[in-house]
Amino acid sequence: PAAAAHALAIQTFQIGGIVLLALSTVAQTVVPNELVEKYDAETGRTTGGIHAAKAVVSRLMRWGFVLGTLLGSLQIVVLPFLHKATPMQEVRDAARL
């Protein structure tokens, strides 16, 4: 029963972890791409570089904070209902706070 209760808890908490891990994976691609300075021949402007990369990092950090806060709050709200996810009384007892 304890292993089943642990599996229910892990499944609930992995939701936030997967979303935040996906955001970090996106950052690994976007930030180095933004570091490269690009010249647009039509507009005559140069984009990218260190300042653009810092702006992207700041934006991604804000997204991470907001998503982490929302998903953490959702997990806290769902926590009391975790014991209702199984019909087995032994697992419910093990999952009790």
Side-chain angles (χ1 to χ4, degrees), residues 6 23 28 37 41 53 56 96:
H6 181 71
L23 183 62
Q28 291 176 17
E37 290 189 6
V56 167
R96 207 170 292 257

Side-chain angles (χ1 to χ4, degrees), residues 41-69:
E42 292 180 13
T43 62
R45 293 181 55 195
T46 302
T47 59
I50 190 76
H51 296 296
K54 284 183 179 182
V56 167
V57 168
S58 294
R59 188 169 56 245
L60 288 171
M61 291 295 287
R62 284 192 300 268
W63 272 104
F65 177 76
V66 169
L67 288 173
T69 303

